[in-house]
Amino acid sequence: MKITIIGTGFVGVVSAAVYASFGNEVVGLDIDQEKINSLRSSKVPFFEPGLEDLLTTTQQQGKLTFTTSYEDAITNSDVIFIAVGTPSSADGNADLKYVFMSCESLAPYLKENAIVVVKSTVPPGTLKLVEEIINKTAKVKYFTASVPEFLKEGTAVYDTLNPDRIVIGVRDDNSFKILESLHQPFNTTIIKVSPESAQMAKYSANAYLATRITFINQIADLCEKNGADIDEVVKAIGVDKRIGKHYWYPGFGYGGSCFPKDVKELAHYSRQVGEDGNLFNKITEINENRISKLLENYSKKIGGFEGKTVAVLGLSFKPNTDDMREAPSVKVIPYLANLGATVKGYDPKALEVVKHFIQADDKVTYYDSINEAAAGADIIISLIEWAEIVNFDFSSVRDGSKEQWFIDARNQFSPEKIEGWGYKYMGVGK
Ligand SMILES: NC(=O)c1ccc[n+]([C@@H]2O[C@H](COP(=O)([O-])OP(=O)(O)OC[C@H]3O[C@@H](n4cnc5c(N)ncnc54)[C@H](O)[C@@H]3O)[C@@H](O)[C@H]2O)c1
């Protein structure tokens, strides 16, 4: 099948490579010429395991090409995926301008019976707006569909090759058949729904996971009041099959490019349809206050951060990515620096990207290794559970001449081990 993916950002480039790996003829289209140039040499402007190899193979096989020309990309395409960004404004309104711009640009070149599929995360009702724009200039009959993306950064290539499900939101059977056959090689459950259900499914999945994180964080806060241990609580509730053992992450709250944005957008949509007081309107506030609340608590225990040297380890929003969008470090580092601490940051992959978010200055320095960042620190914060950090032997950077604290922000370490190395341990919900 001939496919075009509009928007070769995170989702677009991974999808393009994966569809090409299944033998489709794929064109990746972006307005960013520099990005297209580097993608032609299989270079991606972010870290994602396995992606560059897949780009190299599929381009060498002639299955994947990149362009900035709408005419070249759209004219022969059977299926066009829109995977451009949908950032939200401060009040959570999903900004659809990139989606609409791409519709304007693609409309004149559509071939008869092409299917325009919105993969970007968009509010219910967006397909109608998309059709209104395309109808202004399209010369042919075409179809629309909504196929949301569920991949996770850090495991995006694996997730896209092995999705838990493909949700196809369509209004006509023919588009469903074509999209079903395109996704057959993924060998997974294909769910046919309406476009609105597909869009709601995407928001619901992310809002549910964000709620789960928020829920366990609130239980963790209660554990700290009464001597319970959140990890023991998780163990005890997880055996209940209705609840499950997986996806419990007590810590500093959720971040990344999707959960905060999607929860805000769902809350905004709720308000638009008169559901002002619902759960989704509360979660963001709880999550956004979490980091300062935890740091305040730690500060009381350690006698304040002022004048202390703090090593912050793990700067990306989660392991195996250099994506810093809404990463806890983006709040933690300025918070500590404002209180008069000296911050020493380290991350296995995000050391370049971090400088676009928090510049180094007299209070904040970035280091190339855990050793350098942790040396001489009064407090070590293991913020994100990169394997390199979790497996590090912190006894090697223990300064026996002074008291040192270890903050285990994702409960990845055994308190006994850390205390055995001579640190004072603090986790979350313990
Ligand atoms: N990043 C994720 O993990 C993830 C996961 C699931 C869903 N999503 C959703 O997928 C969508 C894309 O997210 P992303 O993280 O890949 O975004 P991104 O910001 O990384 O990439 C967007 C790309 O679109 C390009 N673009 C913008 N306007 C264009 C136009 N008119 N024509 C062609 N290209 C254009 C930009 O140059 C950029 O390369 C969003 O709706 C997001 O919510 C993201």
Side-chain angles (χ1 to χ4, degrees), residues 7 9-11 30 35 70 83-84 86 120-121 149 153 257-258 261:
F10 198 87
V11 167
D30 207 288
K35 193 176 272 185
Y70 268 87
V84 297
T86 48
S120 302
T121 303
E149 180 54 63
E153 292 187 19
S257 68
C258 289
K261 173 178 95 65

Side-chain angles (χ1 to χ4, degrees), residues 237-285:
I237 62 173
V239 289
D240 185 327
K241 289 185 187 64
R242 294 168 304 174
I243 297 174
K245 292 180 186 145
H246 63 289
Y247 213 78
W248 293 118
Y249 293 111
F252 276 40
Y254 61 81
S257 68
C258 289
F259 287 7
K261 173 178 95 65
D262 292 355
V263 172
K264 276 188 207 158
E265 287 179 9
L266 192 59
H268 185 273
Y269 179 74
S270 304
R271 293 194 295 279
Q272 277 185 324
V273 295
E275 297 292 335
D276 299 48
N278 71 9
L279 178 66
F280 313 116
N281 280 290
K282 193 73 189 150
I283 300 172
T284 297
E285 185 192 325

Side-chain angles (χ1 to χ4, degrees), residues 103-109 132-140:
C103 291
E104 261 169 35
S105 308
L106 70 85
Y109 307 113
E132 278 171 23
I133 294 172
I134 298 178
N135 287 345
K136 285 182 194 162
T137 41
K139 301 172 195 124
V140 295

Side-chain angles (χ1 to χ4, degrees), residues 29-298:
L29 166 66
D30 207 288
I31 45 172
D32 183 338
Q33 182 68 58
E34 216 176 300
K35 193 176 272 185
I36 290 299
N37 291 345
S38 76
L39 287 171
R40 284 177 178 149
S41 335
S42 301
K43 293 269 166 287
V44 278
F46 50 81
F47 171 71
E48 185 61 38
L51 182 55
E52 294 196 342
D53 286 348
L54 198 60
L55 284 174
T56 306
T57 321
T58 47
Q59 288 193 84
Q60 277 170 356
Q61 289 166 345
K63 291 293 178 193
L64 176 60
T65 54
F66 290 100
T67 183
T68 53
S69 161
Y70 268 87
E71 185 173 2
D72 291 354
I74 306 297
T75 308
N76 293 315
S77 274
D78 305 306
V79 180
I80 296 135
F81 286 95
I82 299 177
V84 297
T86 48
S88 55
S89 58
D91 69 346
N93 191 16
D95 184 349
L96 300 177
K97 71 168 174 276
Y98 301 115
V99 174
F100 296 155
M101 275 164 57
S102 58
C103 291
E104 261 169 35
S105 308
L106 70 85
Y109 307 113
L110 279 176
K111 92 175 195 191
E112 187 78 26
N113 294 328
I115 309 173
V116 178
V117 182
V118 178
K119 194 176 247 311
S120 302
T121 303
V122 295
T126 299
L127 276 200
K128 266 199 189 113
L129 305 173
V130 159
E131 285 161 9
E132 278 171 23
I133 294 172
I134 298 178
N135 287 345
K136 285 182 194 162
T137 41
K139 301 172 195 124
V140 295
K141 188 173 159 218
Y142 68 94
F143 297 89
T144 55
S146 195
V147 177
E149 180 54 63
F150 294 93
L151 62 75
K152 303 182 287 298
E153 292 187 19
T155 51
V157 172
Y158 178 85
D159 292 348
T160 312
L161 283 164
N162 306 279
D164 291 334
R165 77 308 213 177
I166 301 283
V167 177
I168 300 181
V170 277
R171 288 206 191 86
D172 69 287
D173 283 342
N174 194 46
S175 297
F176 176 70
K177 274 191 200 127
I178 292 169
L179 293 173
E180 183 187 39
S181 91
L182 173 64
H183 291 96
Q184 218 74 66
F186 289 80
N187 202 16
T188 189
T189 310
I190 292 179
I191 303 170
K192 181 187 178 196
V193 295
S194 71
E196 291 71 25
S197 299
Q199 291 146 359
M200 278 306 293
K202 173 63 195 173
Y203 279 118
S204 311
N206 276 359
Y208 174 73
L209 296 172
T211 305
R212 211 164 147 112
I213 292 170
T214 308
F215 169 84
I216 207 64
N217 282 340
Q218 300 232 305
I219 298 289
D221 288 350
L222 297 179
C223 289
E224 293 205 2
K225 307 274 185 212
N226 56 33
D229 180 324
I230 191 65
D231 291 340
E232 291 182 355
V233 173
V234 163
K235 211 189 283 177
I237 62 173
V239 289
D240 185 327
K241 289 185 187 64
R242 294 168 304 174
I243 297 174
K245 292 180 186 145
H246 63 289
Y247 213 78
W248 293 118
Y249 293 111
F252 276 40
Y254 61 81
S257 68
C258 289
F259 287 7
K261 173 178 95 65
D262 292 355
V263 172
K264 276 188 207 158
E265 287 179 9
L266 192 59
H268 185 273
Y269 179 74
S270 304
R271 293 194 295 279
Q272 277 185 324
V273 295
E275 297 292 335
D276 299 48
N278 71 9
L279 178 66
F280 313 116
N281 280 290
K282 193 73 189 150
I283 300 172
T284 297
E285 185 192 325
I286 297 171
N287 193 61
E288 285 188 346
N289 292 336
R290 177 141 194 88
I291 287 178
S292 55
K293 182 181 177 187
L294 286 181
L295 289 175
E296 243 169 67
N297 280 348
Y298 292 131

